[in-house]
Amino acid sequence: MQLAASIFKAYDIRGIVPSTVDEAVAEGLGRAFGTIARAEGETTVAVGRDGRLSGPSLSAALMRGLVAAGLQVIDVGMVTTPMLYFAASTLCTSGIQVTGSHNPKDYNGFKMVMRGRAIYGDEIQAIHTMMAAESWVLQGGGAVTQVDVLAAYTARIVGDIQLARPMKIVVDSGNGIAGASAPAILRAIGCEVIELFSEVDGNFPNHHPDPSKPENLRDLIAALRETGAELGLAFDGDGDRLGIVTRDGNNIYPDRQMMLFAQDVLSRVPGGTILFDVKCSQRLAPAIEAAGGVALMYKTGHSLIKAKMKAIEAEGKAAPLGGEMSGHIFFKERWYGFDDGTYAGCRLLEIVSRHPDANAVLNGLPTSFSTPELNVRCAEGEPHRVTDALQKVAATALAAAAVAQGRDPALAHINTIDGLRVDWPDGFGLVRGSNTTPVLVLRFEGHTQEAMHRIEADMLALLRSVKPDAAIEAAAH
């Protein structure tokens, strides 16, 4: 097969339809994934798709490939990615979601689960190799069965969540696939729901379905003002990420949501390990520890966090919760461990419904001054070369900068688990290589505005010592 190597990303397969992803790619993926699944003893795979315009043709081709490899296919139709994960947790143990997530409308791709684990990294490259060589093994016996999982999924959430009081909320699905299920589920748990852009439309005519970008929350903030609703929820294109906005228009970023989730989960799982990625606030770890948990900072990447949670549990320890700054929240306590924007929203509402003023609870969470996520464009392969170079020079360069500023050089704590994160007593700076696009990802936080600016200046000086042409820009999709 002729394949664009660029579509085989760290956590999924994703590209532009039809130039790099088309029906031939989808069918080839079905054949390769099916061959590997059968070799692992799997007989059944669930397939779902989000609301993108290319979804029906790509999912049909994918299922043809899986059937050709001899697999039983459960077609769950047009669903959120978490609903596909639900099918792969309850009806079988493997699944593929056809989704472009929050990318522009001409993108589409595939998120994969094999025997209960998210496929990423080397396993995606192994699929690439098999597709390129067409070395799959085809056999008879495959077939497709249609199953509607919405009723079972809804019942599972409604049976788990207990609101202490009714709540009036606004839900913005951004014309993504969450609009077909989330508002009804939120009503079923006891909310009065005002809907924005629930109609599934792969043209995304109102705004882009990515709640991590403030410009996509403007309609939600306006609706909160106009309706007097208590909180706003926003979902991304495939429904696995959640945005939360207070009545006064504050975006409660996922690292602050995690403080609330950790306190709640640890009240029932004392001593549990709570995972979070390197982009998260310095305020998160102390909040986890104060609630009686073990705080573990880990690499960014939803597949990586899920795999690490499984590894901790395999050691006989509890890993009841994980989360990423991007908005992927993973509940193992009371749930299946996969990221689900609808379920996370329900858990948040359950917690804040116990208080007379949900906004006071959310606005009262510890906070700092921080930059939005920033990017530095690089050549293909360059980001990780830059972060490797930074790791080598960071200790010496930062110590010299501290001495020049009359500060104690011992105060900088360097973490190299994913790029370079440097924590000071009053904030942190991060430079890491993206695993999905050729950019450096930067983030700076300070307990005061002055601290944030000092950390940003020190980290940018360090970056430019190894990449003099580094140009800082706002993060793209």
Side-chain angles (χ1 to χ4, degrees), residues 20 27 59-60 80 129 145 181 183 208 261 267 270 274 284 293 345 392 407 428 436 466-467:
T20 57
E27 188 164 351
S59 66
T80 62
T129 301
T145 313
S181 56
H208 204 67
F261 290 141
S267 70
I274 311 294
L284 178 53
K392 291 186 178 76
R407 293 183 296 107
F428 82 90
T436 53
V466 301
K467 183 174 169 58

Side-chain angles (χ1 to χ4, degrees), residues 13 57 87 112 179 241 260 297 330 333 344 352 428 438 466:
I13 296 171
S57 61
M112 297 165 283
R241 295 189 297 133
L260 201 62
M297 184 159 63
F330 316 91
E333 189 248 0
V352 297
F428 82 90
V466 301

Side-chain angles (χ1 to χ4, degrees), residues 101-103 170-176 178 204 207-221 232-245 249-254 257 324-329 340-342 476-477:
S101 188
H102 61 282
N103 288 95
V170 182
V171 174
D172 184 344
S173 301
N175 300 108
F204 307 127
H207 63 73
H208 204 67
D210 182 1
S212 68
K213 299 280 180 281
E215 63 268 23
N216 297 324
L217 299 173
R218 287 180 197 138
D219 295 308
L220 184 59
I221 290 167
L233 277 64
F235 298 108
D236 78 333
D238 67 333
D240 60 6
R241 295 189 297 133
L242 170 73
I244 294 285
V245 177
N250 284 334
N251 186 352
I252 305 298
Y253 284 100
Q257 296 172 30
E324 286 192 292
M325 191 65 195
S326 62
H328 293 277
I329 308 286
D340 186 335
T342 300
H477 294 302

Side-chain angles (χ1 to χ4, degrees), residues 436-467:
T436 53
T437 47
V439 298
L440 291 166
V441 176
L442 282 60
R443 185 165 156 72
F444 309 108
E445 175 184 279
H447 295 191
T448 63
Q449 201 99 34
E450 296 73 25
M452 180 186 78
H453 290 312
R454 185 198 80 237
I455 290 167
E456 183 172 6
D458 285 357
M459 293 292 286
L460 289 180
L462 178 64
L463 173 60
R464 290 195 171 113
S465 74
V466 301
K467 183 174 169 58

Side-chain angles (χ1 to χ4, degrees), residues 153-316:
Y153 173 77
T154 300
R156 176 64 178 79
I157 295 178
V158 174
D160 180 72
I161 300 291
Q162 298 293 318
L163 292 196
R165 60 181 176 84
M167 296 186 71
K168 181 178 177 180
I169 61 173
V170 182
V171 174
D172 184 344
S173 301
N175 300 108
I177 186 60
S181 56
I185 290 170
L186 290 159
R187 284 193 183 98
I189 65 165
C191 291
E192 179 186 341
V193 179
I194 296 155
E195 298 183 46
L196 295 179
F197 317 132
S198 295
E199 184 187 348
V200 180
D201 183 345
N203 288 306
F204 307 127
N206 293 290
H207 63 73
H208 204 67
D210 182 1
S212 68
K213 299 280 180 281
E215 63 268 23
N216 297 324
L217 299 173
R218 287 180 197 138
D219 295 308
L220 184 59
I221 290 167
L224 282 165
R225 232 185 352 254
E226 289 157 15
T227 62
E230 201 166 353
L231 285 179
L233 277 64
F235 298 108
D236 78 333
D238 67 333
D240 60 6
R241 295 189 297 133
L242 170 73
I244 294 285
V245 177
T246 61
R247 180 184 282 157
D248 48 0
N250 284 334
N251 186 352
I252 305 298
Y253 284 100
D255 50 359
R256 293 178 78 203
Q257 296 172 30
M258 281 289 292
M259 298 174 192
L260 201 62
F261 290 141
Q263 288 166 2
D264 178 58
V265 166
L266 290 165
S267 70
R268 293 179 298 277
V269 190
T273 298
I274 311 294
L275 265 79
F276 55 94
D277 77 322
V278 293
K279 294 186 195 174
C280 286
S281 171
Q282 195 181 61
R283 306 280 196 181
L284 178 53
I288 292 166
E289 287 158 0
V294 177
L296 180 61
M297 184 159 63
Y298 198 59
K299 301 171 188 177
T300 292
H302 65 93
S303 300
L304 306 179
I305 300 256
K306 280 182 272 202
K308 185 64 173 175
M309 287 173 73
K310 281 188 188 298
I312 291 167
E313 302 228 303
E315 294 168 6

Side-chain angles (χ1 to χ4, degrees), residues 387-400:
T387 55
D388 288 348
L390 283 173
Q391 289 174 358
K392 291 186 178 76
V393 302
T396 309
L398 291 170

Side-chain angles (χ1 to χ4, degrees), residues 26-49:
E27 188 164 351
L29 170 62
R31 292 175 169 206
F33 185 96
T35 300
I36 295 165
R38 288 198 65 89
E40 291 204 17
E42 291 288 81
T43 59
T44 308
V45 176
V47 172
R49 59 183 165 85

